[in-house]
């Protein structure tokens, strides 16, 4: 049986994503998921009326938390938040907003209804999410590594280190600098990485050294049993706790 994304969009990928909260004002919230028991008809009417809180779940947001958002979950973040988003490779986009995302111009009622009907075809109303602070993977006097989220399409870690930090890897890594400028030794050369800058480390490099102190977000496509489950189980985390990271058992759609 073809998956929903292939049947409706003609694409092989869905659009699972995650939000790591870098900053949030006091009292900030987001909308994620549909309230239990909401019928399709009630949901459609509420979205057309822009009465989102009547049918969607509002969640508290604070810096350091991560939300794992599976493909098919109705969601919206902000205002008063700064997030780092990582997502599955996809151009799929359905939305209920009454304006065009590209330029903010108002949609006609007919186009808004068309967009919402397309959204409802791909919606998975049973999906839920909760903010979670991540799980400690490594902790020494010189460094920490927290797994923020994990699933079959991506994992994200947040690192802090006080001095030089050697790192070996066997698949591509996306590195984003959250802290002060630092330098990276790679293949016999040294490169600067400024605050809020991002770079891609090709798998062929295999090894780099970060010269800190530093604070980084690291994204990659994980081998879930090897990279996530085995080391976190070894630290004593149980299955319900691991499951809060995301879709850790690779139930792809």
């Amino acid at each position: 049986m073809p998956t929903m994304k292939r049947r409706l969009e003609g694409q092989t990928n869905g659009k699972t994503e995650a939000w790591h909260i870098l900053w949030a004002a006091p009292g900030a919230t987001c909308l994620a998921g549909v309230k239990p028991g909401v019928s399709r008809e009630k949901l459609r009417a509420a979205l057309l009326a822009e009465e989102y809180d009547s049918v969607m779940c509002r969640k508290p947001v604070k810096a350091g938390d991560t939300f794992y958002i599976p493909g098919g979950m109705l969601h919206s973040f902000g205002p008063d938040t700064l997030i780092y988003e990582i997502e599955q490779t996809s151009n799929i986009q359905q939305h209920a907003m009454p304006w065009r995302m590209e330029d903010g111009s108002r949609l006609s009622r007919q186009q808004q209804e068309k967009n919402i009907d397309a959204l409802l075809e791909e919606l998975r109303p049973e999906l839920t999410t909760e903010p979670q602070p991540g799980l400690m993977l490594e902790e020494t006097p010189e460094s920490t590594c927290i797994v923020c989220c994990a699933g079959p399409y991506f994992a994200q870690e947040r690192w802090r280190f006080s001095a030089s930090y050697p790192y070996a890897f066997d698949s591509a890594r996306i590195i984003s600098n959250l802290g002060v400028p630092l330098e990276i030794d790679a293949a016999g050369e040294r490169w600067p990485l400024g605050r809020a800058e991002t770079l891609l480390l090709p798998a062929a490099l295999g090894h780099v050294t970060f010269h800190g102190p530093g604070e980084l977000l690291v994204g990659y496509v994980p081998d879930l049993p090897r990279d996530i489950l085995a080391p976190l189980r070894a630290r004593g985390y149980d299955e319900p706790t691991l499951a809060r990271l995301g879709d850790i058992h690779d139930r792809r759609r």
Side-chain angles (χ1 to χ4, degrees):
M1 178 181 292
T3 61
M4 185 178 294
K5 56 185 175 286
R6 286 179 176 160
R7 177 171 61 84
L8 296 177
E9 300 287 347
Q11 296 192 29
T12 57
N13 291 342
K15 197 180 181 185
T16 293
E17 62 191 61
W19 313 331
H20 183 67
I21 311 302
L22 298 176
W23 173 87
T29 61
C30 68
L31 291 166
V34 177
K35 291 180 178 178
V38 174
S39 68
R40 182 186 176 104
E41 292 74 21
K42 180 179 179 180
L43 180 59
R44 185 179 191 275
L47 294 179
L48 282 168
E50 302 176 48
E51 297 173 351
Y52 307 117
D53 276 281
S54 68
V55 292
M56 294 181 68
C57 302
R58 187 167 288 277
K59 309 285 184 178
V61 172
K62 69 178 187 299
D65 279 348
T66 302
F67 291 81
Y68 186 86
I69 309 292
M73 177 184 288
L74 188 61
H75 61 270
S76 178
F77 63 85
D80 297 328
T81 57
L82 176 64
I83 74 164
Y84 184 102
E85 182 174 302
I86 187 170
E87 67 177 41
Q88 184 181 3
T89 302
S90 174
N91 290 322
I92 294 174
Q93 176 178 271
Q94 304 294 354
H95 65 87
M97 295 176 293
W99 57 80
R100 288 182 176 84
M101 295 188 69
E102 293 80 8
D103 60 10
S105 60
R106 190 80 184 186
L107 295 173
S108 67
R109 176 76 172 192
Q110 181 181 19
Q111 185 61 54
Q112 188 184 6
E113 290 183 352
K114 181 179 178 182
N115 288 350
I116 289 173
D117 288 338
L119 180 154
L120 292 173
E121 285 299 306
E122 298 186 18
L123 182 70
R124 297 166 61 195
E126 75 280 6
L127 294 174
T128 62
T129 191
E130 295 294 336
Q132 53 86 26
L135 302 178
M136 186 67 69
L137 181 62
E138 174 187 322
E139 186 173 23
T140 72
E142 293 78 29
S143 65
T144 61
C145 173
I146 294 173
V147 180
C148 301
C149 62
Y153 312 113
F154 54 78
Q156 189 169 72
E157 299 172 0
R158 185 165 181 163
W159 300 354
R160 291 185 177 93
F161 45 91
S162 59
S164 295
Y165 188 81
Y167 180 51
F169 51 95
D170 59 7
S171 63
R173 297 295 195 265
I174 300 171
I175 308 293
S176 297
N177 187 6
L178 302 183
V180 298
L182 52 78
E183 293 185 323
I184 303 170
D185 279 339
E189 299 184 13
R190 182 171 288 203
W191 300 90
L193 185 65
R195 183 179 176 88
E197 290 185 339
T198 294
L199 63 80
L200 173 66
L201 297 180
L205 274 177
H207 180 274
V208 299
T209 299
F210 300 97
H211 295 281
E215 185 170 11
L216 306 175
L217 283 177
V218 180
Y220 60 99
V221 178
D223 178 319
L224 283 168
R226 181 194 68 181
D227 299 329
I228 303 297
L229 297 178
L232 288 176
R233 284 172 179 154
R235 289 188 63 88
Y237 294 109
D238 60 20
E239 294 307 302
T241 301
L242 292 173
R244 290 199 288 269
L245 289 174
D247 192 3
I248 60 168
H249 296 297
D250 197 357
R251 293 180 288 269
R252 303 191 192 201
R253 289 177 59 93

